[in-house]
Amino acid sequence: MATMKDVAERAGVSIATVSRVINNTAYVDPGTRERVDRAMRDIHYQHNITAQLLAKRSGSILGLLTGNLSDPFFARLAKGVEEVARKNGCRLMVCSGEHQAEIEQSGLDFLINQGCEAIVAHITRMSEPDILRYAAHNPGLVLINRYLPGIANKCVWLDNFNASRYATKYLLKNGHKNIAYVSADLMIDDQQHRLEGYLSAMRCAGIKVPPEWIISVPFDEEGGEVAAQILLSSQNEFTAVMTFNNVMAAGMMSLCHKRNIRIPEQLSIIGFDDIALARYLHPALTTIHYPIERMAKRAATLALILKDKGSTSPRANKFSAEFIVRNSVLSLVTKAEIRPI
């Protein structure tokens, strides 16, 4: 019996493309669609429609397309979606996009083919046109942590710009001027907006940021250690650093401890996300709390509503972050000199 793999090989396309043609889940170039149709006819491929219908009728399935499953941030995201699934009697199906466009697209196809009509998707690398095509075919698809004007009612996102700007102004208020920024080396919306927030605050303070003040590394613990090595070997006398996320901050703090660099006496650090680890670091990390669990609950609830009704009344789905002051920032000014942010 012919399989989807056989069709893909004969048509010269990926299995994911064959799936999109069969299930009509997203736009496929007409020429490519014709090649797939011809290949199915040539090898007498029979799609198992009965199995697909049984999957869809066996109960409501809430799909979650997430990022790196090893990142504590995404564990919090999944927890929020799971809570909504349990309350609504849904099964939860999870897969990872791994911050790669092809894998994100394959993940969406998988969830759709498994009968998920409500999907919460954390998509960072797929292009806007591709996402819009999927949204047009799937009313219950909701984006989390990304905003696209064309489907604003299906997006749940964070105001990363103002969160990063506020944190940078906090450092400036406490007398820091030589402030480095450790950014992710992946070009995603979060990375861009957080960097812009930092740069905006620095401009408002009249500080020109040289290119070498911005360090781009992988956004994990190892990346944080690499950033710390670069920062500590720099000729610039940095007194503070903003990091893209908490795990990078943890990596930086680990290397600083190994080098006997005292935090915050010699280097102040601010993180982003406020994962559980942040409060147990030494010293406890001052950070930006990302309300991802609340956002995940909102997104999952919205996906289920859209699945059933196809639309919903307009509602603001932009969330604001909370600044959490702990012990990783040293003030370089007296209390009398400190001004409100």
Side-chain angles (χ1 to χ4, degrees), residues 85-147:
R86 287 180 182 277
K87 286 183 177 179
N88 287 272
C90 301
R91 291 176 295 155
L92 179 63
M93 186 169 291
V94 182
C95 61
S96 171
E98 299 181 16
H99 301 293
Q100 298 181 46
E102 185 175 346
I103 298 177
E104 289 176 343
Q105 192 162 324
S106 177
L108 277 182
D109 289 334
F110 171 78
L111 293 173
I112 293 167
N113 292 336
Q114 292 301 311
C116 298
E117 296 179 333
I119 298 174
V120 175
H122 186 281
I123 300 174
T124 59
R125 303 295 285 168
M126 279 178 62
S127 69
E128 183 173 342
D130 283 343
I131 295 173
L132 293 178
R133 291 185 189 114
Y134 272 88
H137 284 82
N138 301 277
L141 174 63
V142 173
L143 297 187
I144 188 166
N145 204 27
R146 188 168 177 179
Y147 174 76

Side-chain angles (χ1 to χ4, degrees), residues 165-182:
R165 188 171 185 269
Y166 185 95
T168 307
K169 290 177 71 175
Y170 178 82
L171 289 173
L172 292 164
K173 181 194 75 169
N174 281 281
H176 296 276
K177 295 181 179 179
N178 286 11
I179 306 169
Y181 187 86
V182 175

Side-chain angles (χ1 to χ4, degrees), residues 223-327:
E225 290 188 330
V226 171
Q229 290 174 345
I230 295 171
L231 188 146
L232 295 177
S233 63
S234 170
Q235 298 300 312
N236 297 292
E237 296 183 357
F238 294 112
T239 62
V241 58
M242 288 275 298
T243 62
F244 175 75
N245 64 20
N246 285 172
V247 293
M248 296 171 84
M252 291 195 72
M253 293 173 75
S254 174
L255 189 107
C256 285
H257 290 319
K258 292 175 185 176
R259 297 280 187 87
N260 294 317
I261 303 297
R262 289 174 291 116
I263 299 170
E265 290 83 3
Q266 291 175 272
L267 183 68
S268 292
I269 298 180
I270 291 181
F272 204 117
D273 288 344
D274 194 29
I275 58 175
L277 169 71
R279 72 190 68 175
Y280 300 111
L281 292 171
H282 180 70
L285 183 65
T286 292
T287 187
I288 298 162
H289 178 74
Y290 197 130
I292 188 60
E293 286 184 43
R294 287 197 294 119
M295 292 171 62
K297 292 175 186 177
R298 173 81 63 86
T301 301
L302 179 60
L304 291 172
I305 292 173
L306 290 171
K307 173 186 77 74
D308 293 334
K309 299 182 178 179
S311 63
T312 185
S313 56
R315 182 180 181 183
N317 290 313
K318 179 171 75 171
F319 282 69
S320 296
E322 179 185 359
F323 190 63
I324 306 296
V325 177
R326 295 195 178 104
N327 304 319

